[in-house]
Amino acid sequence: MSETSLQDLKPIPSPGRQIYKPKGIIRFFARFKYNKIALVALIILFVIFAISIFAPYLAPYDPAKGVLTERLRPPTLERPAGGGFPHIFGTDQQGRDVLSRIMYGGRVSLTVAFTVVGICFIFGTVLGLISGYFGGWVDMILMRVVDVVSSFPGLLVALAFVMVLGPSERNLIIALTVNGWMIHARMARSQVLTLRESAMVESARAIGLSVPGIVFGHILPNIISPLITVFVLDLGHQIAAEANMSFLGFGIQPPKSSWGLMIGEGRQYIASAWWLVTFPGIMIGLTLLCLNLFGNWVREEFDPLSRKQ
Amino acid sequence: MIQNDRENLVVVRNLQKLFPVKAGFFGKARSFVHAVDDVSFSIKKGQTMGLVGESGCGKTTIGRLVLRLLEKTSGEVEFKGKNIFNLNKLEQKQFRREAQLIFQDAFSSFDLRKCVGDIVGEPLKVHGLASGSELTDRVADLLKTVGLKPELMREFPHTLSSGQKQCVGMARSIALNPEFVVADEPISALDVSVRAQVLNLLKDLQEEKDMTYLFISHDIRVVRWLATHIAVMYLGKLVEYAETEELFIQRHHPYTEALLNAVPVEDPFQRRERKILLGEVPSPVDPVPGCRFQPRCEYAVDRCRLETPPLVEKSPGHWVACFVDFHGAGDFS
């Protein structure tokens, strides 16, 4: 090996790292070369998020203000009597524009779901990692706590929490979080158990790496793919849970709206006004489908063995 | 080869490791696997101690215990005069720098999302010995030391051949310049064609860096080639311990004799009268009283069934745990 070839190697800042870090937006999109569906899913998600974020600028009508003469209009491309943007998704029982309500409702649904799953994911994963890695009585106590919390019917506990704390968006998030962290803890723990006794961990211990270094540097990156899958699936679950709570009157309070609350409110008109439940339902379904497709791509991308070279 | 003037680097005293066998739901351990039972030996600096025995006899457990990758049940392991089971945090980190492990299957010990450069450089990073371009240079040097191209540092482990993987594992193990290396069957997972290469590398590294090895293997021929001393294990106990050449000239334990007899002869037309060991290794869970080899030993006397034979020095430097005055002579080459 000549000296020149060593010189060639010098510019590498940290060997190999750069392979995981796409530099620039072009390289990021180049990663989708083998999975175009995931790219489509990501774009749809972007659009849904963008619409939700920019709802105040995009929505043609005030989502809370109804026009009683325009009640329960089916979807139409014609302008309403008073002028303005056509009610392309129809109007509800109070004459409010469904399209505008979907835009604003998405904000609430997505905020609640992401906040709940985010807190649950971090909290549950850390507990699961500790429980799985240390084992023994730490594991025993943490897992019994998980068992006890899981053994209560989730909806009942959430209702009790909201009843005590009072219905509001913040309290809804607290109630759903209390119910939702266990699956992440269980998942992380079971994944850690498969690695705890592995030669990889032994090798990391042999070179003197600290316990946090092993857990967060080697174990977590190797088990993150199934955890991300659960994260994405749980997003859907929490959007549904928020809808349930809102439907029962313990979640989002009118005049605020969420996709779940819209389905709940539209339920009694389902025979005569199909658009009230259909469009929010499509939004939930589309969001979940795209999250799943995107989650799948992330899982593949995180795993160098399944990545196509 | 005898280096009596040098001090002991590793001293193992009455080391015992029991693994509990749990029974039932809230079950307390009712019985124990006696993986390592009352084992004592010492390794002087620069020596290579070969640890041989059948699979499941506790060789690997000893290797993990002397590196404190497992906690002992009783006994002690001294490294440079200090008991490794009572080190403080700082001493522990220093110990990790000085004592390293080479895995049987290096590939399984890698973090597969890290590239070769990260894997080899990690020990240096953990101990804060190098960073940035210096780290890259050190990794390149290490790869060259084990006979690999420095360009490989950007590859991922699954793209390497099995010999290359083992070499990367060795580069990682020697990155910290350890004084003591436990090599746990480093060549058993390799093709015959690359075995010699890895063994030569081990020997060269030892000469170059004055390393001390605990070489664990079930292949007594390999151990003979590399080791200065051989310890033979059977079911968690040391049965015979001597210098390598001494052991190949005479053996005082019937099990060692049986092990040597099992080595195939190179010439297919030359037939040796072989003593084949009958029966199987009994379970290490609550082993038989007395000598553990006694159920399979054709020389066993009544005393073997009642008392456990202690390891005694039959002749200078030749320790045996056997009541029978057994002599296995004849060179195996």
Side-chain angles (χ1 to χ4, degrees), chain A residues 1 3 5-6 8-10 12-20 140 198-210 217-218 221-222 224-225 302-305 307 309, chain B residues 26 64 68-70 93 96 99-101 103 108-115 117-118 122-123 125-127 132-133 136-137 140 144 149-151 153-154 156 158 172 176:
Chain A
M1 207 42 54
E3 278 304 306
S5 64
L6 268 180
D8 294 340
L9 286 166
K10 271 188 177 169
I12 308 169
S14 166
R17 289 275 176 195
Q18 79 280 12
I19 290 168
Y20 290 113
M140 183 83 173
S198 71
M200 183 194 81
V201 169
E202 196 168 41
S203 163
R205 286 177 58 206
I207 61 159
L209 194 58
S210 61
H218 288 293
N222 276 289
I224 199 83
S225 336
F302 262 110
D303 184 1
L305 289 181
R307 190 167 64 205
Q309 294 292 334
Chain B
F26 285 110
R64 299 298 191 268
R68 210 192 172 185
L69 292 170
L70 276 176
K93 195 148 189 185
R96 292 272 177 250
Q100 278 298 324
L101 175 66
F103 284 84
S108 71
S109 77
F110 296 155
D111 187 339
L112 296 184
R113 41 190 69 251
K114 301 259 159 86
C115 68
D118 280 345
E122 192 184 16
K125 234 194 263 175
V126 167
H127 290 271
S133 65
T136 315
D137 289 350
K144 282 204 288 180
K149 288 184 204 153
E151 285 83 358
M153 69 167 76
R154 276 170 293 188
F156 282 86
H158 62 269
R172 177 179 160 101
L176 295 168

Coordinates of all heavy atoms in Angstrom, one line a residue, chain A residues 1 3 5-6 8-10 12-20 140 198-210 217-218 221-222 224-225 302-305 307 309, chain B residues 26 64 68-70 93 96 99-101 103 108-115 117-118 122-123 125-127 132-133 136-137 140 144 149-151 153-154 156 158 172 176:
Chain A
M1 N 0.8 -1.2 0.0 CA 0.0 0.0 0.0 C 0.9 1.2 0.0 O 1.7 1.5 0.9 CB -0.9 0.0 1.2 CG -2.2 0.7 1.1 SD -3.0 0.5 -0.5 CE -3.1 -1.3 -0.5
E3 N 1.8 5.3 0.0 CA 1.4 6.4 0.9 C 0.3 7.3 0.2 O -0.5 7.9 0.9 CB 2.7 7.3 1.2 CG 3.5 6.8 2.3 CD 2.7 6.6 3.6 OE1 2.1 7.5 4.1 OE2 2.7 5.5 4.1
S5 N -2.2 6.4 -1.5 CA -3.6 6.0 -1.3 C -4.1 6.3 0.1 O -5.3 6.5 0.3 CB -3.7 4.5 -1.5 OG -2.9 3.8 -0.5
L6 N -3.2 6.4 1.1 CA -3.6 6.8 2.4 C -4.0 8.3 2.4 O -4.9 8.7 3.1 CB -2.4 6.6 3.4 CG -2.4 5.3 4.1 CD1 -1.2 5.2 5.0 CD2 -3.7 5.1 4.9
D8 N -5.3 9.8 0.0 CA -6.6 9.9 -0.6 C -7.7 9.7 0.4 O -8.8 10.3 0.3 CB -6.7 8.9 -1.7 CG -5.8 9.1 -2.9 OD1 -5.3 10.3 -3.0 OD2 -5.5 8.2 -3.6
L9 N -7.4 8.9 1.4 CA -8.4 8.6 2.4 C -8.7 9.7 3.4 O -9.7 9.7 4.1 CB -8.1 7.3 3.1 CG -8.2 6.1 2.3 CD1 -7.5 4.9 2.9 CD2 -9.7 5.7 2.1
K10 N -7.7 10.6 3.5 CA -7.7 11.5 4.6 C -9.0 12.4 4.7 O -9.5 12.7 5.8 CB -6.5 12.4 4.6 CG -5.4 11.8 5.4 CD -4.2 12.6 5.6 CE -3.2 12.0 6.5 NZ -1.9 12.6 6.5
I12 N -12.0 12.0 4.5 CA -13.2 11.4 5.2 C -13.2 11.9 6.6 O -12.4 11.6 7.4 CB -13.1 9.9 5.2 CG1 -12.8 9.3 3.8 CG2 -14.4 9.3 5.7 CD1 -12.5 7.9 3.8
P13 N -14.3 12.7 6.9 CA -14.4 13.2 8.3 C -14.6 12.1 9.3 O -13.8 12.0 10.3 CB -15.5 14.2 8.2 CG -16.3 13.8 7.0 CD -15.4 13.0 6.1
S14 N -15.6 11.3 9.2 CA -15.8 10.2 10.1 C -16.1 9.0 9.2 O -17.1 9.1 8.4 CB -17.0 10.5 11.0 OG -17.4 9.3 11.6
P15 N -15.3 8.0 9.2 CA -15.4 7.0 8.1 C -16.8 6.4 8.0 O -17.4 6.0 9.0 CB -14.4 5.9 8.6 CG -13.9 6.4 9.9 CD -14.3 7.7 10.2
G16 N -17.4 6.4 6.8 CA -18.6 5.7 6.5 C -19.9 6.4 6.9 O -20.9 6.1 6.4
R17 N -19.8 7.4 7.8 CA -21.0 8.0 8.3 C -21.8 8.7 7.1 O -23.0 8.7 7.1 CB -20.6 9.1 9.3 CG -20.2 8.6 10.6 CD -21.4 8.3 11.4 NE -20.9 7.7 12.7 CZ -21.8 7.0 13.4 NH1 -23.0 7.0 13.1 NH2 -21.4 6.5 14.5
Q18 N -21.0 9.3 6.2 CA -21.6 10.1 5.2 C -22.6 9.3 4.3 O -23.5 9.8 3.7 CB -20.6 10.8 4.3 CG -20.0 9.9 3.3 CD -18.9 9.0 3.8 OE1 -18.7 8.9 5.0 NE2 -18.1 8.4 2.9
I19 N -22.5 8.0 4.4 CA -23.4 7.1 3.6 C -24.8 7.3 4.0 O -25.7 7.2 3.3 CB -22.9 5.7 3.6 CG1 -21.6 5.5 2.9 CG2 -23.9 4.7 3.0 CD1 -20.8 4.3 3.1
Y20 N -25.0 7.5 5.3 CA -26.4 7.6 5.9 C -26.9 9.0 5.8 O -28.1 9.2 6.0 CB -26.4 7.2 7.3 CG -26.2 5.7 7.5 CD1 -25.0 5.2 8.0 CD2 -27.1 4.8 6.9 CE1 -24.8 3.9 8.1 CE2 -26.9 3.5 7.0 CZ -25.8 3.0 7.6 OH -25.6 1.7 7.7
M140 N -38.7 -6.5 36.1 CA -39.9 -7.0 36.8 C -40.9 -5.9 37.2 O -42.1 -6.0 36.8 CB -39.4 -7.7 38.1 CG -40.4 -8.4 38.9 SD -40.8 -10.0 38.2 CE -41.9 -10.7 39.4
S198 N -26.3 -10.6 22.7 CA -25.6 -10.9 21.4 C -24.1 -10.6 21.5 O -23.6 -9.9 22.4 CB -26.2 -10.0 20.3 OG -25.9 -8.6 20.6
A199 N -23.4 -11.1 20.6 CA -21.9 -10.9 20.5 C -21.6 -9.4 20.3 O -20.6 -8.9 20.7 CB -21.3 -11.7 19.4
M200 N -22.6 -8.7 19.6 CA -22.3 -7.3 19.3 C -22.3 -6.5 20.6 O -21.4 -5.7 20.8 CB -23.5 -6.8 18.4 CG -23.3 -5.3 18.0 SD -24.8 -4.7 17.4 CE -25.7 -4.3 18.9
V201 N -23.2 -6.8 21.5 CA -23.2 -6.1 22.8 C -21.9 -6.5 23.6 O -21.3 -5.7 24.2 CB -24.5 -6.4 23.6 CG1 -24.4 -5.9 25.0 CG2 -25.6 -5.7 22.9
E202 N -21.6 -7.8 23.6 CA -20.4 -8.3 24.3 C -19.2 -7.6 23.8 O -18.3 -7.1 24.5 CB -20.3 -9.8 24.1 CG -19.4 -10.4 25.1 CD -19.6 -11.9 25.1 OE1 -19.7 -12.5 24.0 OE2 -19.6 -12.5 26.2
S203 N -19.1 -7.4 22.5 CA -18.0 -6.8 21.9 C -17.9 -5.3 22.3 O -16.8 -4.8 22.5 CB -18.1 -6.9 20.3 OG -17.3 -6.1 19.7
A204 N -19.0 -4.7 22.4 CA -19.0 -3.3 22.8 C -18.6 -3.1 24.3 O -17.9 -2.2 24.6 CB -20.4 -2.7 22.6
R205 N -19.1 -4.1 25.1 CA -18.6 -4.1 26.5 C -17.1 -4.4 26.6 O -16.4 -3.8 27.4 CB -19.4 -5.2 27.3 CG -20.8 -4.8 27.5 CD -21.6 -5.9 28.3 NE -20.9 -6.3 29.5 CZ -21.0 -7.4 30.1 NH1 -21.6 -8.4 29.5 NH2 -20.3 -7.7 31.2
A206 N -16.6 -5.3 25.7 CA -15.2 -5.6 25.8 C -14.3 -4.5 25.5 O -13.2 -4.4 26.1 CB -14.9 -6.8 24.9
I207 N -14.7 -3.5 24.7 CA -13.9 -2.4 24.4 C -14.1 -1.3 25.4 O -13.5 -0.2 25.3 CB -14.0 -1.8 23.0 CG1 -15.5 -1.4 22.8 CG2 -13.6 -2.9 21.9 CD1 -15.6 -0.4 21.6
G208 N -15.0 -1.5 26.4 CA -15.1 -0.5 27.5 C -16.1 0.5 27.2 O -16.1 1.6 27.9
L209 N -17.1 0.3 26.3 CA -18.1 1.3 26.1 C -19.1 1.3 27.3 O -19.4 0.3 27.8 CB -18.9 0.9 24.8 CG -19.8 1.9 24.1 CD1 -19.0 3.2 23.8 CD2 -20.4 1.4 22.9
S210 N -19.6 2.5 27.6 CA -20.5 2.7 28.7 C -21.8 2.1 28.4 O -22.2 1.9 27.2 CB -20.6 4.1 29.1 OG -21.1 4.8 28.0
G217 N -26.1 3.8 21.4 CA -25.2 3.8 20.2 C -25.3 2.5 19.4 O -25.1 2.6 18.2
H218 N -25.6 1.4 20.0 CA -25.6 0.1 19.3 C -27.0 -0.5 19.3 O -27.5 -1.0 18.2 CB -24.6 -0.8 19.8 CG -23.2 -0.4 19.5 ND1 -22.7 -0.5 18.2 CD2 -22.2 0.0 20.3 CE1 -21.4 0.0 18.2 NE2 -21.1 0.2 19.5
P221 N -30.1 1.9 17.5 CA -30.1 2.0 16.1 C -30.4 0.7 15.4 O -30.9 0.6 14.3 CB -28.6 2.4 15.7 CG -28.1 3.0 16.9 CD -28.8 2.4 18.1
N222 N -30.1 -0.4 16.1 CA -30.4 -1.7 15.5 C -31.8 -2.2 15.7 O -32.2 -3.2 15.0 CB -29.4 -2.8 16.0 CG -28.1 -2.8 15.3 OD1 -28.0 -3.2 14.1 ND2 -27.1 -2.3 15.9
I224 N -34.4 0.1 15.8 CA -35.3 1.3 15.5 C -36.3 1.0 14.4 O -37.4 1.5 14.4 CB -34.4 2.5 15.1 CG1 -35.2 3.8 15.2 CG2 -33.9 2.4 13.7 CD1 -35.3 4.3 16.6
S225 N -36.0 0.1 13.5 CA -37.0 -0.2 12.4 C -38.3 -0.7 12.9 O -39.3 -0.1 12.5 CB -36.4 -1.1 11.3 OG -35.0 -1.1 11.4
F302 N -33.5 2.1 6.7 CA -32.7 2.0 7.9 C -31.9 0.8 8.0 O -31.0 0.7 8.7 CB -33.6 2.1 9.1 CG -33.7 3.5 9.7 CD1 -34.9 4.2 9.7 CD2 -32.7 4.0 10.4 CE1 -35.0 5.4 10.2 CE2 -32.7 5.3 10.9 CZ -33.9 6.0 10.8
D303 N -32.3 -0.2 7.2 CA -31.6 -1.5 7.3 C -30.7 -1.7 6.1 O -31.1 -1.9 5.0 CB -32.7 -2.6 7.3 CG -32.1 -4.0 7.5 OD1 -30.9 -4.0 7.7 OD2 -32.9 -4.9 7.5
P304 N -29.4 -1.6 6.3 CA -28.5 -1.7 5.2 C -28.5 -3.0 4.5 O -28.2 -3.1 3.3 CB -27.1 -1.5 5.8 CG -27.3 -1.5 7.3 CD -28.7 -1.5 7.6
L305 N -29.0 -4.1 5.1 CA -29.0 -5.4 4.5 C -30.1 -5.5 3.4 O -30.0 -6.1 2.4 CB -29.2 -6.5 5.5 CG -28.0 -6.7 6.4 CD1 -28.3 -7.9 7.3 CD2 -26.8 -7.1 5.5
R307 N -31.4 -2.9 2.0 CA -31.3 -1.8 1.0 C -30.7 -2.2 -0.3 O -29.7 -2.9 -0.3 CB -30.5 -0.6 1.6 CG -30.6 0.6 0.8 CD -30.1 1.8 1.6 NE -28.6 1.6 1.9 CZ -28.0 2.2 2.9 NH1 -28.7 2.9 3.7 NH2 -26.7 2.0 3.1
Q309 N -28.5 -2.0 -3.3 CA -27.3 -1.2 -3.5 C -27.3 -0.6 -4.9 O -27.6 -1.3 -5.8 CB -26.1 -2.0 -3.3 CG -25.9 -2.5 -1.9 CD -25.6 -1.3 -0.9 OE1 -25.1 -0.3 -1.3 NE2 -26.0 -1.5 0.3
Chain B
F26 N -42.5 -18.6 39.4 CA -41.7 -17.8 40.4 C -40.5 -18.6 40.8 O -39.9 -18.3 41.9 CB -42.6 -17.4 41.6 CG -43.5 -16.3 41.2 CD1 -44.9 -16.6 41.2 CD2 -43.1 -15.1 40.9 CE1 -45.8 -15.6 40.8 CE2 -44.0 -14.1 40.6 CZ -45.4 -14.4 40.5
R64 N -14.7 -15.6 29.1 CA -15.6 -14.4 29.5 C -15.3 -14.0 30.9 O -15.3 -12.8 31.2 CB -17.0 -14.7 29.3 CG -17.5 -15.1 27.9 CD -17.2 -14.0 26.9 NE -17.9 -14.2 25.6 CZ -17.3 -14.8 24.6 NH1 -16.0 -15.2 24.7 NH2 -17.9 -15.0 23.5
R68 N -14.0 -10.4 32.6 CA -15.1 -9.8 33.4 C -16.3 -9.4 32.5 O -17.0 -8.4 32.7 CB -14.7 -8.6 34.2 CG -15.6 -8.5 35.4 CD -15.4 -7.2 36.2 NE -16.4 -7.1 37.2 CZ -16.6 -6.1 38.0 NH1 -15.9 -5.0 37.8 NH2 -17.5 -6.1 38.9
L69 N -16.5 -10.2 31.4 CA -17.7 -10.0 30.6 C -18.9 -10.8 31.3 O -20.0 -10.6 30.9 CB -17.5 -10.5 29.2 CG -16.5 -9.6 28.4 CD1 -16.1 -10.2 27.1 CD2 -17.1 -8.2 28.2
L70 N -18.5 -11.7 32.2 CA -19.5 -12.4 33.0 C -19.0 -12.2 34.5 O -17.9 -12.0 34.7 CB -19.4 -13.9 32.7 CG -20.2 -14.5 31.6 CD1 -19.9 -16.0 31.5 CD2 -21.7 -14.3 31.7
K93 N -12.0 0.8 33.3 CA -11.8 1.3 31.9 C -10.4 1.0 31.4 O -10.2 0.6 30.3 CB -12.1 2.8 31.8 CG -12.3 3.3 30.4 CD -13.3 4.4 30.3 CE -13.6 4.7 28.8 NZ -14.4 5.8 28.6
R96 N -10.2 -2.6 30.5 CA -10.8 -2.9 29.2 C -9.8 -2.5 28.0 O -9.9 -3.1 27.0 CB -12.1 -2.1 29.0 CG -13.2 -2.5 29.9 CD -14.0 -3.6 29.2 NE -15.1 -4.1 30.1 CZ -15.0 -5.3 30.6 NH1 -14.0 -6.2 30.4 NH2 -16.0 -5.7 31.4
A99 N -7.1 -5.6 28.2 CA -7.5 -7.0 27.9 C -8.6 -7.0 26.9 O -9.5 -6.3 27.0 CB -7.9 -7.6 29.2
Q100 N -8.4 -7.8 25.8 CA -9.3 -7.8 24.7 C -9.8 -9.2 24.4 O -9.2 -10.2 24.8 CB -8.7 -7.1 23.5 CG -8.9 -5.6 23.6 CD -10.3 -5.2 23.6 OE1 -11.2 -5.8 22.9 NE2 -10.6 -4.1 24.4
L101 N -10.8 -9.3 23.6 CA -11.4 -10.5 23.2 C -11.4 -10.6 21.6 O -11.8 -9.7 21.0 CB -12.8 -10.6 23.8 CG -13.7 -11.8 23.4 CD1 -13.1 -13.1 24.0 CD2 -15.1 -11.6 23.9
F103 N -13.4 -12.8 18.8 CA -14.5 -13.6 18.8 C -14.4 -14.8 17.8 O -13.6 -14.7 16.8 CB -15.8 -12.8 18.3 CG -16.3 -11.9 19.4 CD1 -15.7 -10.7 19.6 CD2 -17.3 -12.4 20.2 CE1 -16.2 -9.9 20.6 CE2 -17.8 -11.6 21.2 CZ -17.3 -10.3 21.4
S108 N -20.7 -11.7 13.7 CA -21.8 -11.5 14.7 C -21.5 -10.5 15.7 O -22.4 -10.0 16.4 CB -22.2 -12.9 15.3 OG -21.2 -13.3 16.2
S109 N -20.3 -10.2 15.9 CA -19.9 -9.2 16.9 C -19.9 -7.8 16.4 O -19.7 -6.8 17.1 CB -18.5 -9.5 17.5 OG -17.5 -9.1 16.7
F110 N -20.2 -7.6 15.1 CA -20.2 -6.3 14.5 C -21.5 -5.7 14.6 O -22.6 -6.4 14.5 CB -19.8 -6.4 13.0 CG -18.4 -6.8 12.8 CD1 -18.0 -7.4 11.6 CD2 -17.4 -6.7 13.7 CE1 -16.7 -7.9 11.3 CE2 -16.1 -7.1 13.5 CZ -15.8 -7.7 12.3
D111 N -21.5 -4.4 14.6 CA -22.8 -3.6 14.5 C -22.9 -3.4 13.0 O -22.2 -2.7 12.3 CB -22.7 -2.3 15.2 CG -24.0 -1.5 15.2 OD1 -24.8 -1.8 14.3 OD2 -24.1 -0.6 16.0
L112 N -23.9 -4.1 12.4 CA -23.9 -4.2 10.9 C -24.3 -2.9 10.2 O -24.2 -2.8 9.0 CB -24.9 -5.3 10.5 CG -24.6 -6.7 11.0 CD1 -25.5 -7.7 10.4 CD2 -23.1 -7.0 10.5
R113 N -24.7 -1.9 11.0 CA -25.0 -0.6 10.3 C -23.7 0.3 10.3 O -23.8 1.4 9.8 CB -26.2 0.1 10.9 CG -26.3 0.0 12.4 CD -27.6 0.5 12.9 NE -28.7 -0.3 12.5 CZ -29.6 0.0 11.6 NH1 -29.6 1.1 10.9 NH2 -30.5 -0.9 11.3
K114 N -22.6 -0.2 10.9 CA -21.4 0.6 10.9 C -20.5 0.0 9.8 O -20.4 -1.2 9.6 CB -20.7 0.5 12.3 CG -21.6 0.9 13.4 CD -21.2 2.3 13.9 CE -22.4 3.0 14.6 NZ -22.4 2.7 16.0
C115 N -19.7 0.9 9.2 CA -18.8 0.4 8.2 C -17.5 -0.1 8.9 O -17.3 0.2 10.1 CB -18.5 1.5 7.2 SG -17.6 2.8 7.9
G117 N -14.5 0.9 8.9 CA -13.7 2.0 9.6 C -14.3 2.3 11.0 O -13.5 2.5 11.9
D118 N -15.6 2.4 11.1 CA -16.2 2.7 12.4 C -16.0 1.5 13.4 O -15.8 1.8 14.6 CB -17.7 2.9 12.2 CG -18.0 4.3 11.7 OD1 -17.1 5.1 11.8 OD2 -19.2 4.5 11.2
E122 N -13.8 2.3 16.6 CA -14.6 2.5 17.8 C -13.9 2.4 19.1 O -14.0 3.3 20.0 CB -15.8 1.6 17.8 CG -16.9 2.0 18.9 CD -18.0 1.0 19.0 OE1 -17.9 -0.1 18.5 OE2 -19.0 1.4 19.6
P123 N -13.0 1.4 19.3 CA -12.3 1.3 20.6 C -11.4 2.6 20.8 O -11.4 3.1 22.0 CB -11.4 0.1 20.5 CG -12.0 -0.7 19.4 CD -12.7 0.2 18.5
K125 N -12.0 5.5 19.7 CA -12.9 6.7 20.0 C -13.4 6.6 21.4 O -13.5 7.6 22.1 CB -14.1 6.6 19.0 CG -14.3 7.9 18.3 CD -15.7 7.9 17.6 CE -15.6 7.5 16.1 NZ -16.9 7.4 15.5
V126 N -13.8 5.4 21.8 CA -14.4 5.2 23.2 C -13.3 5.6 24.2 O -13.7 6.2 25.2 CB -14.8 3.7 23.4 CG1 -15.1 3.4 24.9 CG2 -16.0 3.4 22.6
H127 N -12.1 5.3 24.0 CA -11.1 5.7 25.0 C -10.4 7.0 24.7 O -9.4 7.4 25.3 CB -10.0 4.6 25.1 CG -10.5 3.3 25.7 ND1 -10.5 3.1 27.0 CD2 -11.2 2.2 25.1 CE1 -11.0 1.9 27.3 NE2 -11.5 1.4 26.2
G132 N -11.0 12.3 14.3 CA -10.8 13.0 13.0 C -9.9 12.3 12.1 O -10.0 11.1 12.0
S133 N -9.0 13.0 11.5 CA -8.1 12.4 10.5 C -7.1 11.5 11.1 O -6.6 10.5 10.5 CB -7.4 13.5 9.6 OG -6.5 14.2 10.5
T136 N -8.7 8.1 11.3 CA -8.7 7.5 10.0 C -7.3 6.9 9.7 O -7.2 5.8 9.2 CB -9.0 8.5 8.9 OG1 -10.1 9.3 9.3 CG2 -9.4 7.9 7.6
D137 N -6.3 7.6 10.0 CA -4.9 7.1 9.8 C -4.7 5.8 10.7 O -4.1 4.8 10.2 CB -3.9 8.1 10.2 CG -3.8 9.3 9.1 OD1 -4.5 9.1 8.1 OD2 -3.2 10.3 9.4
A140 N -6.5 2.9 9.3 CA -5.8 2.5 8.1 C -4.6 1.6 8.4 O -4.3 0.5 7.9 CB -5.4 3.6 7.2
K144 N -3.9 -2.4 7.8 CA -2.7 -2.9 7.1 C -2.0 -3.9 8.0 O -1.5 -4.9 7.5 CB -1.7 -1.7 6.8 CG -2.2 -0.9 5.6 CD -1.0 -0.2 5.0 CE -0.6 1.0 5.9 NZ 0.5 1.7 5.2
K149 N -6.6 -4.1 3.0 CA -6.4 -2.8 2.3 C -7.1 -1.7 3.1 O -8.3 -1.9 3.5 CB -7.0 -2.8 0.9 CG -6.2 -3.7 0.0 CD -6.8 -3.5 -1.4 CE -6.5 -4.7 -2.3 NZ -7.6 -5.0 -3.3
P150 N -6.5 -0.6 3.3 CA -7.1 0.5 4.1 C -8.4 1.0 3.4 O -9.3 1.5 4.0 CB -6.1 1.6 4.0 CG -4.8 1.0 3.8 CD -5.1 -0.2 3.0
E151 N -8.5 0.7 2.1 CA -9.8 1.1 1.4 C -11.0 0.4 1.9 O -12.1 0.9 1.8 CB -9.7 0.8 -0.1 CG -8.8 1.8 -0.9 CD -7.3 1.4 -0.8 OE1 -7.0 0.4 -0.1 OE2 -6.5 2.1 -1.4
M153 N -12.1 0.3 4.7 CA -12.8 0.9 5.8 C -14.1 1.6 5.4 O -14.9 1.8 6.3 CB -11.9 2.0 6.5 CG -11.6 3.2 5.7 SD -10.8 4.5 6.7 CE -9.2 3.9 6.9
R154 N -14.3 1.7 4.2 CA -15.6 2.3 3.8 C -16.6 1.2 3.4 O -17.8 1.5 3.1 CB -15.4 3.3 2.6 CG -15.0 4.7 3.1 CD -14.6 5.6 2.0 NE -13.4 5.1 1.4 CZ -12.7 5.8 0.5 NH1 -13.2 6.9 0.1 NH2 -11.6 5.3 0.0
F156 N -19.0 -2.2 4.1 CA -19.8 -2.7 5.2 C -19.5 -4.2 5.4 O -19.1 -4.9 4.5 CB -21.3 -2.5 4.9 CG -21.7 -1.1 5.2 CD1 -21.6 -0.2 4.2 CD2 -22.2 -0.7 6.4 CE1 -22.0 1.2 4.4 CE2 -22.6 0.6 6.6 CZ -22.5 1.5 5.6
H158 N -20.9 -6.9 5.7 CA -21.6 -8.1 5.0 C -21.0 -8.2 3.6 O -21.3 -9.2 2.9 CB -23.1 -7.9 5.0 CG -23.6 -6.7 4.3 ND1 -23.8 -5.5 5.0 CD2 -23.9 -6.5 3.1 CE1 -24.3 -4.7 4.1 NE2 -24.4 -5.2 3.0
R172 N -10.0 -4.7 15.3 CA -10.7 -4.1 16.3 C -10.2 -4.5 17.7 O -10.0 -3.6 18.6 CB -12.2 -4.4 16.2 CG -13.1 -3.8 17.3 CD -14.5 -4.3 17.1 NE -15.3 -4.2 18.3 CZ -16.2 -3.2 18.5 NH1 -16.3 -2.2 17.7 NH2 -16.9 -3.2 19.6
L176 N -6.5 -1.2 20.6 CA -6.1 -0.5 21.9 C -4.7 -1.0 22.3 O -4.3 -0.7 23.5 CB -7.1 -0.8 23.0 CG -8.5 -0.1 22.7 CD1 -9.5 -0.7 23.7 CD2 -8.4 1.4 22.8

